[in-house]
Amino acid sequence: MRAEILRRCGVELVVPLVDGLYCEEWLWLPDLLPEELEAWWCALENVETFWNERSRSTWPGTFILVGEDMQFFDLWESAWNAGAYRVRVEFNEQSDSASPDSYLRKADGTVILHKGAFHPQVANRSGGDES
């Protein structure tokens, strides 16, 4: 199993993911093309589905908890520092686009927020403009 995961990481899109609730790192192999990943993320209603294994199954692809396996951690760290994408999943509501809690970030620094990232009452309280 481990050898197969390492092989897949060598040929597939690998997205390092930080879980802000449990402070865990994951390797995510979304089985999507980059454009499909971005479209899927943009349409995501909320990230809370990530923390329940059953609802996480609605997310595309495979998730590997990095844990204490140094090879997985090395892959995660390399992908976080130089990969095409990285994801942070945080339980807090998104209220500031300049400092997002949950995001998909491209290698060029572009931050892509999911559909449910902003709640009107939060944006209005912070003086944000949704237009």
Side-chain angles (χ1 to χ4, degrees):
M1 175 72 168
R2 185 171 180 266
E4 175 61 14
I5 291 169
L6 293 172
R7 184 198 67 74
R8 287 182 63 193
C9 288
V11 296
E12 295 180 30
L13 176 63
V14 177
V15 179
L17 185 145
V18 170
D19 166 359
L21 182 62
Y22 295 112
C23 299
E24 296 176 322
E25 291 89 19
W26 296 79
L27 291 169
W28 179 21
L29 289 79
D31 295 333
L32 297 171
L33 296 172
E35 310 80 41
E36 295 171 325
L37 174 62
E38 290 179 27
W40 179 85
W41 183 265
C42 286
L44 187 62
E45 292 287 338
N46 66 63
V47 296
E48 285 81 12
T49 55
F50 178 79
W51 289 291
N52 180 300
E53 188 173 346
R54 200 163 90 194
S55 61
R56 185 171 51 240
S57 70
T58 64
W59 289 45
T62 305
F63 291 89
I64 299 102
L65 182 59
V66 172
E68 296 180 15
D69 187 313
M70 284 310 294
Q71 277 192 302
F72 287 159
F73 181 77
D74 289 345
L75 278 168
W76 180 91
E77 187 174 47
S78 175
W80 185 266
N81 292 323
Y85 295 94
R86 67 173 86 160
V87 169
R88 178 167 177 81
V89 176
E90 182 62 63
F91 193 66
N92 299 329
E93 292 180 341
Q94 174 60 47
S95 61
D96 178 7
S97 62
S99 180
D101 293 329
S102 295
Y103 58 79
L104 173 67
R105 178 171 292 174
K106 296 170 67 169
D108 68 4
T110 303
V111 172
I112 302 170
L113 299 177
H114 60 88
K115 182 179 180 180
F118 290 101
H119 301 282
Q121 67 275 14
V122 173
N124 288 340
R125 268 188 274 135
S126 66
D129 185 343
E130 293 185 308
S131 53

